[in-house]
């Protein structure tokens, strides 16, 4: 990647979770940019405004390339990479690639109430058997192409916020659910990493990740007393945490 004429400080790149799109960061982006930070949000292929691109060929590597493509297109030289929920899988793969191909680009890795995989695991690996089977069954109606979103109430949202997210969610490509991610754990662990734990209400499927980051060395763990979609329910509190991480890089 050639040098960028843009700001010299690190940019924040936001990667949404399952069923969402870049739209979910609508309340957060102005707060980051208003603080003078360059911030970008990517929509992964097959969801959000890119739902028309859903096909059997869309997989985890497609989503990894989506993020790498944004970093390349924007000529970002230093990046704080934020992955929400399912996108913990995506940003792990991106981190592995960046560390190998463009060392020094990735300044900090943030898992926002996200999956924290180990090499050879899939998004589904730590989920209870009932959850796995439920999603496999749900995908049958689309011929295995996708599975539908849950009611946003499970993310701790109510009222207008719940209605807004429910209107905007789109089916998730099913291929990414059981696809394993192989990566160099030491290479990824060499990047400073933070985990933002959304505790009220805590989403049960994130429990294994919560336990991992508290038992493994090298993690900075922060808590937000809100539900699984803090960019919707507590955008200012989330912005404060991300701006704090960004400030550490100055």
């Amino acid at each position: 990647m050639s040098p960028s004429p843009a700001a010299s400080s690190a940019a924040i790149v936001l990667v949404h979770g399952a069923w969402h799109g870049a739209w979910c960061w609508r309340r957060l982006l102005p707060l980051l940019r208003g603080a003078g930070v360059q911030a970008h949000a990517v929509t992964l292929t097959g969801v959000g405004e890119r739902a028309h691109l859903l096909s059997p060929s869309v997989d985890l590597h497609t989503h990894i390339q989506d993020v790498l493509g944004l970093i390349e297109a924007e000529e970002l030289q230093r990046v704080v990479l934020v992955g929400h929920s399912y996108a913990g899988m995506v940003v792990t793969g991106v981190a592995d690639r960046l560390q190998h191909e463009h060392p020094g680009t990735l300044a900090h890795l943030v898992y926002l109430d996200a999956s924290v995989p180990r090499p050879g695991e899939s998004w589904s690996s730590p989920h209870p058997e009932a959850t796995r089977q439920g999603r496999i069954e749900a995908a049958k109606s689309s011929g295995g192409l996708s599975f539908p979103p849950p009611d946003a109430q499970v993310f701790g949202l109510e009222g207008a916020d719940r209605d807004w997210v429910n209107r905007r969610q789109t089916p998730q490509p099913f291929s990414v659910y059981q696809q394993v991610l192989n990566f160099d754990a030491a290479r990824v662990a060499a990047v400073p990493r933070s985990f933002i734990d959304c505790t009220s209400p805590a989403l049960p499927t994130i429990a294994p990740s919560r336990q991992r980051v508290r038992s493994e060395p090298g993690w900075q763990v922060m808590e937000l007393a809100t539900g699984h979609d803090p960019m919707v329910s507590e955008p200012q509190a989330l912005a404060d945490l991300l701006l704090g991480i960004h400030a550490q890089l100055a």
Side-chain angles (χ1 to χ4, degrees):
M1 288 182 285
S2 59
S4 168
S8 59
S9 64
I12 295 178
V13 174
L14 304 166
V15 188
H16 63 81
W19 309 291
H20 287 37
W23 57 265
C24 73
W25 309 105
R26 186 179 300 173
R27 297 173 183 175
L28 180 69
L29 282 169
L31 301 175
L32 299 177
R33 292 168 177 165
V37 174
Q38 185 183 176
H40 302 271
V42 61
T43 292
L44 302 174
T45 302
V47 292
E49 74 273 17
R50 304 183 72 203
H52 63 290
L53 298 176
L54 178 62
S55 75
S57 67
V58 174
D59 64 7
L60 179 57
H61 298 298
T62 309
H63 289 171
I64 291 169
Q65 191 57 51
D66 287 334
V67 180
L68 290 168
L70 181 142
I71 293 170
E72 178 79 28
E74 297 292 341
E75 298 184 330
L76 304 180
Q77 298 303 299
R78 294 186 75 214
V79 172
V80 175
L81 185 59
V82 181
H84 173 237
S85 194
Y86 150 72
M89 301 291 300
V90 180
V91 300
T92 301
V94 172
D96 188 50
R97 286 275 301 276
L98 285 178
Q99 287 287 91
H100 178 60
E101 298 172 8
H102 303 285
T105 300
L106 189 54
H108 203 105
L109 194 53
V110 181
Y111 291 78
L112 176 56
D113 219 38
S115 299
V116 178
R118 289 173 175 152
E121 288 186 339
S122 68
W123 177 24
S124 67
S125 292
H127 290 174
E129 183 62 22
T131 299
R132 284 196 295 270
Q133 290 305 315
R135 290 180 174 178
I136 292 169
E137 188 64 29
K140 290 181 178 178
S141 63
S142 66
L145 182 63
S146 65
F147 58 107
D151 190 307
Q153 187 176 33
V154 305
F155 306 144
L157 299 175
E158 299 177 348
D161 288 347
R162 174 188 177 190
D163 293 342
W164 180 61
V165 172
N166 279 340
R167 285 197 308 272
R168 301 292 295 156
Q169 290 193 112
T170 50
Q172 178 75 2
F174 181 66
S175 62
V176 304
Y177 187 58
Q178 295 178 301
Q179 183 178 0
V180 302
L181 178 65
N182 293 304
F183 61 95
D184 187 322
R187 193 154 59 200
V188 173
V191 181
R193 295 178 295 173
S194 297
F195 185 90
I196 299 177
D197 189 358
C198 298
T199 61
S200 183
L203 191 69
T205 52
I206 302 298
S209 294
R210 293 190 184 97
Q211 295 165 3
R212 285 181 182 181
V213 299
R214 287 176 168 85
S215 63
E216 297 175 355
W219 285 92
Q220 177 185 26
V221 180
M222 296 166 281
E223 295 186 358
L224 273 180
T226 191
H228 186 60
D229 270 12
M231 71 292 287
V232 178
S233 57
E234 287 289 348
Q236 185 62 65
L238 177 56
D240 290 344
L241 290 181
L242 294 179
L243 291 172
I245 290 170
H246 187 273
Q248 296 173 13
L249 306 177

